[in-house]
Amino acid sequence: MTTEPAARANQSQRSAVIVNPNRVTGVDELRAALDQQVIDAGWPVPVWLETTAEDPGTGQARQAVADGAEVVFVAGGDGTVRACIEGLAGTDAALAVLPGGTGNLLAGNLAIPSKTADGVQIALDGGRQAVDVGEVDGQVFAVMAGMGLDAAMVDDAPTALKARVGALAYVYSALKHLADNEMRVEVRVDDLPVLRRRASSVLVANVGQLQGGVNLLPDAEPDSGQMEVAVLAPRNLGHWVQLALGVLLRRKRVPNMEILRGSRIVVTSDRQHPRQLDGDVIEPSDTLDVTVRPGALWVCVDQS
């Protein structure tokens, strides 16, 4: 684990706040409380930037860094966080996640609290961890990339249902796709032998925990320089049940799932399929080509 000591706790730092007004309620109240907490710690008042439909956070994050921000608070869902990561990866600025929306998988995997004041305090306390990011077609992710069923599930989850029931909307969407035709894939991981399979989904994961606290890949570590590759190949409903039980019961070997690990992963299919990065659906393709960028992102984490 690459970390910096919490010595920064006594150092004033310049900061910015990027907020998604469509995912965060009470923005004025949030601003008043956050500004006061930062001022009380002896930091300058942060610059506030809102996301837009045209720019969900990447441009704002780059602007914040260009203007000298050392900490960038991000208030929004997984899509907002991922967009900001694109602007922060490879810089010295640290991401401080303030969870909102229906996902926040990065926050959950890094034990970042859901209460805003606690998330701000973590940044003020100065703990930092360098985590890996994956890159696909010039776009980055910090949680998980996927091709196949998982991307179709994300794409089809109704927005209104997500607002009402949260992660359960993805279960509803997944059930609609269980009978989708399998992919014929070749999976190349570093110099390992090529894996040829019929699969429903291939996931490339930097962390292992999904919505609802389900730990799909318990050995995944966000700062190892490698990512876990899960090939899901159930053939029928019974196989899906076996796979789900294996994950929920935390069995060492999960039926109908194979796991590899590496820093360069290329998944090639016989036809185009939906793809997703941290829950953002990207252009369909017959290839998911992932390069791991070790330690490319600083994140504010609790080191107590």
Side-chain angles (χ1 to χ4, degrees):
M1 178 184 295
T2 304
T3 60
E4 284 192 348
R8 291 176 181 264
N10 297 320
Q11 298 178 9
S12 173
Q13 295 187 62
R14 297 175 66 182
S15 64
V17 183
I18 300 173
V19 61
N20 182 339
N22 295 319
R23 290 289 181 267
V24 177
T25 58
V27 173
D28 290 341
E29 293 82 357
L30 171 66
R31 182 167 188 165
L34 194 153
D35 283 358
Q36 189 60 56
Q37 189 174 358
V38 167
I39 291 169
D40 289 346
W43 288 23
V45 176
V47 174
W48 283 72
L49 304 165
E50 289 193 356
T51 65
T52 65
E54 297 73 26
D55 190 340
T58 302
Q60 292 87 338
R62 288 173 178 157
Q63 185 62 52
V65 173
D67 291 343
E70 298 166 272
V71 173
V72 178
F73 296 97
V74 178
D78 283 326
T80 307
V81 172
R82 191 191 74 81
C84 292
I85 287 172
E86 285 202 4
L88 296 177
T91 76
D92 290 330
L95 167 70
V97 182
L98 305 178
T102 58
N104 301 120
L105 289 175
L106 183 61
N109 278 276
L110 296 180
I112 295 170
S114 58
K115 188 176 180 181
T116 297
D118 293 339
V120 173
Q121 192 59 49
I122 283 176
L124 297 174
D125 288 343
R128 306 287 185 266
Q129 179 179 353
V131 303
D132 309 328
V133 300
E135 184 170 327
V136 176
D137 298 347
Q139 302 180 71
V140 303
F141 66 95
V143 177
M144 194 174 295
M147 183 166 73
L149 172 68
D150 65 298
M153 172 190 73
V154 169
D155 196 24
D156 275 357
T159 301
L161 189 61
K162 285 193 291 183
R164 290 201 307 269
V165 300
L168 288 177
Y170 296 111
V171 176
Y172 168 80
S173 179
L175 291 174
K176 296 194 299 182
H177 289 280
L178 289 184
D180 286 358
N181 291 332
E182 296 170 316
M183 305 183 292
R184 293 177 181 268
V185 295
E186 291 186 349
V187 183
R188 292 176 168 83
V189 179
D190 294 339
D191 296 326
L192 297 175
V194 176
L195 191 70
R196 294 179 175 86
R197 292 290 185 270
R198 290 187 177 186
S200 295
S201 184
V202 180
L203 301 171
V204 181
N206 195 32
V207 293
Q209 184 173 296
L210 305 178
Q211 283 94 348
V214 176
N215 204 354
L216 179 68
L217 296 163
D219 293 331
E221 297 178 351
D223 54 5
S224 65
Q226 296 184 318
M227 293 192 179
E228 302 272 299
V229 184
V231 182
L232 309 183
R235 296 289 184 88
N236 52 52
L237 181 59
H239 288 172
W240 278 111
V241 172
Q242 291 175 348
L243 191 156
L245 286 175
V247 171
L248 293 173
L249 296 175
R250 301 184 180 183
R251 290 175 178 160
K252 270 195 147 183
R253 294 188 59 134
V254 175
N256 309 303
M257 181 171 76
E258 295 176 85
I259 299 175
L260 307 169
R261 182 184 293 112
S263 58
R264 175 70 192 280
I265 301 101
V266 182
V267 182
T268 306
S269 179
D270 57 332
R271 63 188 188 279
Q272 289 194 342
H273 293 280
R275 301 182 301 166
Q276 62 87 16
L277 306 179
D278 289 358
D280 280 347
V281 178
I282 62 174
E283 186 176 353
S285 176
D286 59 2
T287 303
L288 182 69
D289 189 336
V290 179
T291 301
V292 178
R293 294 169 55 185
L297 177 71
W298 286 106
V299 182
C300 299
V301 296
D302 184 11
Q303 294 185 348
S304 61

